[in-house]
Amino acid sequence: MQSEKQYIELYEQCREMIKGHANDVMNSCRDAAFEDFKRLGFPTKKVERYKYTDIPALFKPNYGLNINRLDIPVDPYEAFRCDVPNLSTSLYFVINDSFHNKVLPKKELPEGVIVDSLNKVATEQPELVAKYYGKIAKSNEDGITALNTMLAQDGLFIYVPKGVVIDKAIQIINILRSDVDLMVNRRVLIVAEERAEIKLLFCDHAADDRNFLATQVIEAYVGDNASLDLYCLEETHAKNVRVSNVFISQQANSRVNHNVITLHNGTTRNRTDLVFEGEGAECNLCGCVIADKNQHVDNNTLIDHKVGHCQSNELYKYVLDDEAVGAFAGKVLVRHGAQKTTSQETNQNLCATKTARMFTQPMLEIYADDVKCAHGSTVGQLNDAALFYMQQRGISLKEAKLLLEFAFINEVIDKMQLEPLRDRLHYLVEKRFRGELSKCEGCKLCK
């Protein structure tokens, strides 16, 4: 319990200060989450869903926290120059864990739509936030979720009322900014009510050459016949640790596309739990990872078919170079009575060197007899015959490897519904393979 001790003592000493800079809705869950964290602690490798990442070791270093909510001066346009420009998005910024209200899009959103500070909305409209906050992400089941719930003081609230369709994608830039090593606990609550439609792009960046530890919990409620496209793109640096838990609840006839793209990082652990609560729903989970040096990327997913007549599709691809480590564990659970379920789970991996390591564990757990479910995984290296064939036609070995890796990863990118992002990612991935995208181009770290 050595890693947990500092956070238990921190909360006991700073409990009132943490609550004083938050709101009643978030505070109402805080003490219970603290008790859950004391009981659960950090999940170790003995816990099935965490066996590929040493979580206690990630949280052992001593990081600073901005509990007093001091204003960190930053010009987001100076700290961040987007390498995915011209997407025609409504652009918002989150600095560490605080919504940046000093720079907002000029064009207003449709009536009733909210994109704002979670702390602010929970203070002004507590009944709206309380209806959803903490209902999907259960702190009594996971130590990371419990830690985030007990420490988070702000984050982002996105709300789309019944029947509202947002044609323009909303882009959220999460910027890590600090003069000292910093821990950030960010909370995101997304609500798409009945027949609502929204496209969201989250981009994670680090603006300073510091050690960052970021925990993030996203709760997404997708109502009847609603549609959510959620894209998460990470381009941080080698000193960044990112632990993200995404919880999605789908109601009847809803549609979710969730894509996780890791282009540059230090250590990343992504968890996605998706539950079908109503029949006729469909989800597509995709992930693409490009890692080299000593980077570590662990994606863990659970798709829970609680009811019948739902469809899930899952595709994750990794390209690992040098001594990078990748892990994928995906479980599809089909419960009793969930007849007419259709599910396909695929994980394909490419190890470009003999020192790269990939751990893969696709799983099916089925308790219904009228289903169509399949899963599979592969781990391999570049095809020597294809490399030889391309070299025979004047293509250098380096270029041939790049073309094969690019073709391998493209299947995931081509499944993205947001066309401008899809086109831009083709460019970013090519730069990443060429070694030109070590960090987000244009940020201060690259000057």
Side-chain angles (χ1 to χ4, degrees):
M1 296 288 288
Q2 188 63 37
S3 297
E4 292 86 353
K5 184 179 178 182
Q6 61 176 316
Y7 297 100
I8 293 172
E9 292 177 350
L10 170 73
Y11 188 78
E12 289 174 338
Q13 295 169 8
C14 303
R15 184 191 312 249
E16 297 309 316
M17 187 186 305
I18 292 172
K19 291 183 176 181
H21 291 283
N23 55 80
D24 291 342
V25 176
M26 298 178 76
N27 289 340
S28 67
C29 307
R30 207 176 293 280
D31 286 340
F34 174 60
E35 295 301 323
D36 289 333
F37 180 72
K38 285 200 297 182
R39 175 176 56 87
L40 294 168
F42 289 117
T44 67
K45 287 189 173 185
K46 294 181 180 179
V47 178
E48 179 68 22
R49 296 197 67 179
Y50 286 90
K51 66 181 182 180
Y52 299 119
T53 300
D54 189 351
I55 295 293
L58 298 180
F59 285 83
K60 191 172 182 179
N62 186 18
Y63 292 89
L65 287 95
N66 188 14
I67 294 174
N68 274 320
R69 315 308 297 160
L70 300 176
D71 186 36
I72 298 178
V74 59
D75 179 353
Y77 288 108
E78 181 65 25
F80 164 80
R81 292 192 179 97
C82 184
D83 205 22
V84 192
N86 305 319
L87 285 183
S88 186
T89 59
S90 297
L91 188 62
Y92 296 86
F93 294 93
V94 173
I95 309 301
N96 295 330
D97 63 348
S98 299
F99 182 81
H100 190 74
N101 59 10
K102 298 174 184 176
V103 179
L104 298 173
K106 295 180 181 179
K107 186 177 179 181
E108 294 185 1
L109 295 168
E111 184 177 357
V113 175
I114 300 173
V115 180
D116 210 335
S117 159
L118 177 59
N119 189 28
K120 176 187 173 185
V121 179
T123 302
E124 298 175 351
Q125 302 182 58
E127 68 289 339
L128 177 59
V129 177
K131 183 179 179 181
Y132 301 101
Y133 183 81
K135 299 299 189 292
I136 307 173
K138 307 289 188 180
S139 66
N140 62 349
E141 297 176 358
D142 178 71
I144 300 297
T145 303
L147 179 74
N148 179 278
T149 304
M150 82 187 204
L151 293 179
Q153 295 170 285
D154 196 9
L156 183 67
F157 181 63
I158 300 174
Y159 174 76
V160 188
K162 182 186 298 185
V164 175
V165 176
I166 304 178
D167 295 322
K168 193 174 185 179
I170 293 173
Q171 186 175 7
I172 310 296
I173 309 299
N174 296 317
I175 298 179
L176 295 171
R177 168 75 180 91
S178 178
D179 295 329
V180 298
D181 295 349
L182 185 70
M183 178 183 185
V184 171
N185 299 287
R186 185 187 309 118
R187 196 71 178 224
V188 180
L189 179 57
I190 303 166
V191 179
E193 291 196 336
E194 182 180 346
R195 302 191 315 279
E197 294 184 18
I198 184 171
K199 298 180 180 65
L200 295 169
L201 169 60
F202 287 83
C203 300
D204 281 19
H205 300 271
D208 292 291
D209 189 17
R210 294 290 179 180
N211 294 309
F212 289 105
L213 169 60
T215 75
Q216 175 177 263
V217 172
I218 298 178
E219 295 181 276
Y221 175 87
V222 188
D224 293 352
N225 295 284
S227 174
L228 168 66
D229 285 10
L230 177 60
Y231 304 93
C232 298
L233 170 65
E234 182 180 4
E235 289 183 273
T236 54
H237 58 54
K239 295 182 179 180
N240 188 69
V241 175
R242 178 180 189 264
V243 183
S244 174
N245 289 356
V246 177
F247 300 91
I248 303 173
S249 173
Q250 283 193 245
Q251 308 305 308
N253 301 303
S254 60
R255 182 188 64 83
V256 167
N257 289 320
H258 179 38
N259 291 264
V260 181
I261 307 106
T262 305
L263 291 187
H264 201 279
N265 71 309
T267 299
T268 296
R269 209 277 174 171
N270 297 316
R271 168 177 172 169
T272 302
D273 286 20
L274 185 146
V275 182
F276 289 114
E277 300 282 1
E279 294 189 351
E282 177 185 351
C283 79
N284 295 283
L285 302 187
C286 291
C288 120
V289 174
I290 302 172
D292 57 13
K293 302 180 178 66
N294 294 302
Q295 294 165 359
H296 180 104
V297 185
D298 179 357
N299 283 295
N300 188 289
T301 68
L302 170 63
I303 300 177
D304 186 350
H305 286 261
K306 286 180 65 175
V307 297
H309 298 273
C310 293
Q311 179 177 341
S312 64
N313 300 289
E314 195 167 2
L315 174 63
Y316 277 75
K317 286 195 170 189
Y318 289 62
V319 176
L320 305 175
D321 206 340
D322 300 327
E323 297 180 356
V325 175
F328 170 81
K331 180 177 180 179
V332 176
L333 171 61
V334 183
R335 295 183 183 266
H336 290 285
Q339 306 293 358
K340 303 297 182 182
T341 289
T342 303
S343 178
Q344 175 65 51
E345 180 185 24
T346 305
N347 173 226
Q348 297 176 333
N349 311 284
L350 190 62
C351 292
T353 63
K354 293 182 179 180
T355 50
R357 292 289 179 268
M358 182 67 203
F359 302 91
T360 177
Q361 188 180 17
M363 295 170 281
L364 291 176
E365 190 172 333
I366 302 172
Y367 299 98
D369 54 12
D370 188 6
V371 301
K372 293 181 180 178
C373 299
H375 70 305
S377 68
T378 60
V379 180
Q381 295 182 320
L382 292 173
N383 188 295
D384 289 336
L387 289 172
F388 177 77
Y389 178 86
M390 296 170 77
Q391 290 180 83
Q392 289 293 96
R393 277 142 186 83
I395 300 174
S396 68
L397 177 60
K398 181 179 179 180
E399 190 72 14
K401 287 180 61 177
L402 184 147
L403 290 172
L404 290 177
E405 291 171 341
F406 189 65
F408 176 79
I409 216 76
N410 260 357
E411 184 181 359
V412 176
I413 299 174
D414 288 339
K415 288 183 179 294
M416 296 181 182
Q417 301 296 313
L418 193 59
E419 186 175 350
L421 174 62
R422 186 171 65 235
D423 295 340
R424 194 64 183 168
L425 276 174
H426 285 303
Y427 167 71
L428 287 179
V429 167
E430 183 179 350
K431 287 188 67 177
R432 179 67 175 89
F433 281 134
R434 292 185 184 278
E436 300 170 8
L437 189 67
S438 60
K439 305 178 186 71
C440 178
E441 184 182 16
C443 76
K444 287 186 173 182
L445 291 177
C446 303
K447 290 183 177 178

